[in-house]
């Protein structure tokens, strides 16, 4: 086994840190400068709208009475630990998987911080078309979505090629 693959994809943790910093900074700026619930039009399909989400994605379980805060915080911690272990085990040459894992980890940590410190996640990106509105979200959610999409693409289209490469290297 090569020295590069032994080190895993932890080299991408800097990307997780960058996601967390940008996410928390953007939440601080919007929380400081926007009025809760009042949209500020940026484009005809894009508003900045300060919102607090006590639930999970798309406000799932937002009205569950408060225990969801700690449940989702625990889930965030477990997922974050699992992602770091997975990154350590992912060969460095699979850089796209490392990038995807780092994006999901950074997004999870950004939202985890909000959930633990504030009791809710600060959201502010509002996309809409006419009267149809998508759920309000934040940069952490974008990072999680992009990372998850990359992981799905890897599983659907690239995993077989990786398996073939490992078998070929094993035969050599």
């Amino acid at each position: 086994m090569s020295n590069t693959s032994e080190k895993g994809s932890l080299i991408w943790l800097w990307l997780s840190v960058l996601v967390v910093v940008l996410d928390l900074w953007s939440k601080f700026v919007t929380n400081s400068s926007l009025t809760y619930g009042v949209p500020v039009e940026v484009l005809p399909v894009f508003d900045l709208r300060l919102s607090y989400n006590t639930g999970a994605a798309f406000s799932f379980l937002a009205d569950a009475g408060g225990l969801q805060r700690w449940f989702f915080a625990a889930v965030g911690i477990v997922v974050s630990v699992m992602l770091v272990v997975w990154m350590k085990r992912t060969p460095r040459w699979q850089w796209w998987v490392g990038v995807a894992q780092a994006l999901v980890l950074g997004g999870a940590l950004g939202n985890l911080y909000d959930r633990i410190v504030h009791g809710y996640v600060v959201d502010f990106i509002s996309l809409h078309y006419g009267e149809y509105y998508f759920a309000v979200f934040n940069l952490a959610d974008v990072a999680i979505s992009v990372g998850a999409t990359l992981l799905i693409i890897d599983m659907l289209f690239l995993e077989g090629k990786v398996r073939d490469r490992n078998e070929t290297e094993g035969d050599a």
Side-chain angles (χ1 to χ4, degrees), residues 93-104:
W93 61 265
Q94 286 183 286
W95 59 268
W96 63 94
V97 177
V99 167
Q101 294 162 332
L103 288 171
V104 173

Side-chain angles (χ1 to χ4, degrees), residues 45-60:
V45 295
F46 168 50
D47 296 336
L48 294 176
R49 180 188 314 240
L50 183 60
S51 176
Y52 302 143
N53 181 358
T54 57
F58 309 112
S59 296
F60 176 68

Side-chain angles (χ1 to χ4, degrees), residues 65 72-73 79 169:
F72 291 129
V79 167
E169 286 178 357

